[in-house]
Amino acid sequence: METVILKADRKNILKCAEMLRNGDVVAFPTETVYGLGANALDGDAAKKIFKAKGRPATNPLIIHVADKHQIDDVAYVSDAAKKLIDKFMPGALTLVLPKKSNVPDIVTAGFDTVAVRMPDHPVALRLISEAGVPVCAPSANTSARPSPTQAEHVYDDLNGKIPVILDGGMCPLGLESTIVDMTKTPPKVLRAGAVDIDKVAAEIGELDTEKVMVDTLSALKVPVGYVPKAELVFSAYYDNMSEVINKYYDSSENMHGSRPVIFCRNENADKYGDRKVMLMGGSVTEYAKLLFERIREAEKSDYNLIIAEGVPMGGMGTTLLSRLIKLSGGKVI
Ligand code: AMP
Ligand code: MG
């Protein structure tokens, strides 16, 4: 199959909406990362997503809607969920809710719950609303690769496996959604993502964050999640972080065939002398936004060791650290 990249203009969005209605898959931009979408009410269409990504059938998909009321078509909404929907949607918060029976088992991997989100991106919203059906969509990468934040990343992973990629440019947040399971008491954070979990907690009171912490700690022992082609290590966050990183860089560079690069905040760039650096912006949020993109850039430039600066815990720092731990398999220097 030939994969075409289409500019996300009105005509192409309509074309892709029709493809979704006809049971095809379409890669499209959202504010978090690119998604690979299919009609969420069509089990055969959803199956194509798992096949293209090489995604295990045990990993459920997120249903994307174009309108808050469309959530009622696929899930039962509690009062607490309604509060979060009103506050954070459209946006990068996914809620796990009891599912309605019209959602095929393949979409939820057999669970009686369903994950739902309303993306805050004009192309995604237009596409879903023109399709006229809710759209299930995981990230449009090959399973276990870093999530794609540009159409080109999707092409690199899925060329030949999907018919079309709607190109809407770079994803503004560059990082997956935060997932909260509203069927648990207190609601449970399943993934720290682009919405700060402290802000979610502020809205509904108690929030169970133990899973995020436990997953993060267990990734230190058993590497899980993404597999970058370049090895990644990261520094703990402290005052003389750059000295530790420089020492690690210099000793790695002396090893045969090693091509290290440092991921650093803009303000720290001159602490690394002539060493190769890639800039991660001026804030933790920007760092998080650029992470997946820079990894793919480093891989393309044939760097084979990424030494990433650490950041303080808390807020988006927690999200970023959870990604660095996953990507590195817990290799902290
Ligand atoms: P992705 O969109 O590729 O980030 O994958 C969707 C994420 O949502 C996965 O981590 C799933 O485990 C999670 N997810 C989707 N549906 C459910 C559900 N019903 N219960 C718990 N987690 C879910
Ligand atoms: Mg994913």
Side-chain angles (χ1 to χ4, degrees):
M1 172 190 316
E2 202 190 327
T3 301
V4 293
I5 301 182
L6 298 178
K7 185 165 158 271
D9 59 21
R10 197 181 132 69
K11 186 173 126 257
N12 288 332
I13 293 173
L14 289 178
K15 182 177 168 171
C16 288
E18 194 185 340
M19 289 177 72
L20 287 173
R21 273 196 304 276
N22 290 340
D24 269 324
V25 295
V26 170
F28 64 98
T30 79
E31 83 279 32
T32 59
V33 301
Y34 272 77
L36 181 61
N39 177 355
L41 304 180
D42 176 349
D44 290 334
K47 207 182 268 179
K48 294 179 185 170
I49 294 176
F50 289 88
K51 184 155 180 257
K53 280 179 61 86
R55 184 180 178 99
T58 48
N59 196 358
L61 309 177
I62 295 174
I63 294 188
H64 293 63
V65 295
D67 181 293
K68 291 179 191 182
H69 302 294
Q70 207 177 6
I71 298 173
D72 297 320
D73 295 346
V74 292
Y76 296 96
V77 177
S78 64
D79 288 345
K82 172 121 192 1
K83 217 170 162 188
L84 293 182
I85 289 167
D86 287 341
K87 176 82 183 174
F88 293 101
M89 294 195 195
L93 181 68
T94 296
L95 298 181
V96 172
L97 303 166
K99 91 173 183 90
K100 290 197 170 161
S101 58
N102 55 340
V103 180
D105 277 345
I106 182 165
V107 171
T108 61
F111 288 116
D112 52 10
T113 55
V114 63
V116 192
R117 169 171 113 80
M118 178 182 174
D120 188 10
H121 192 288
V123 174
L125 290 174
R126 189 69 195 262
L127 176 70
I128 301 163
S129 92
E130 291 292 350
V133 289
V135 172
C136 56
S139 48
N141 51 323
T142 298
S143 220
R145 292 280 302 144
S147 296
T149 59
Q150 293 185 37
E152 187 194 341
H153 301 162
V154 180
Y155 190 84
D156 288 344
D157 277 14
L158 299 179
N159 178 24
K161 296 182 175 162
I162 59 173
V164 64
I165 302 167
L166 258 184
D167 185 353
M170 225 178 121
C171 300
L173 300 177
L175 185 78
E176 303 93 336
S177 61
T178 296
I179 306 179
V180 179
D181 185 347
M182 298 303 292
T183 68
K184 299 285 189 299
T185 311
K188 184 171 181 177
V189 181
L190 299 182
R191 176 170 78 191
V195 165
D196 184 341
I197 51 180
D198 295 344
K199 290 191 181 146
V200 180
E203 209 54 40
I204 50 167
E206 215 184 341
L207 201 56
D208 175 1
T209 56
E210 192 192 329
K211 181 175 188 305
V212 175
M213 301 307 161
V214 169
D215 281 359
T216 304
L217 291 175
S218 59
L220 291 169
K221 296 193 207 102
V222 188
V224 288
Y226 318 113
V227 189
K229 287 179 195 141
E231 184 187 352
L232 187 138
V233 300
F234 71 101
S235 158
Y237 179 75
Y238 42 87
D239 286 344
N240 66 341
M241 181 165 71
S242 57
E243 287 165 36
V244 175
I245 289 178
N246 282 337
K247 213 164 139 194
Y248 195 87
Y249 183 107
D250 293 342
S251 65
S252 318
E253 206 182 25
N254 291 333
M255 281 189 283
H256 178 71
S258 181
R259 283 174 45 80
V261 62
I262 298 165
F263 281 9
C264 69
R265 300 265 289 272
N266 295 1
E267 73 222 40
N268 296 335
D270 49 6
K271 295 182 182 159
Y272 298 107
D274 293 337
R275 297 171 186 86
K276 303 281 186 209
V277 298
M278 291 176 92
L279 299 180
M280 307 305 289
S283 65
V284 172
T285 304
E286 242 182 298
Y287 188 160
K289 165 186 165 164
L290 292 171
L291 183 64
F292 291 134
E293 177 178 344
R294 290 282 188 267
I295 287 173
R296 285 182 184 255
E297 247 178 85
E299 290 173 350
K300 281 193 175 161
S301 305
D302 283 331
Y303 291 115
N304 56 13
L305 173 64
I306 298 164
I307 309 167
E309 286 186 343
V311 294
M313 276 288 270
M316 287 303 290
T318 306
T319 296
L320 178 55
L321 284 170
S322 75
R323 298 297 185 281
L324 286 173
I325 289 169
K326 264 191 180 178
L327 287 157
S328 67
K331 270 173 263 144
V332 187
I333 60 168

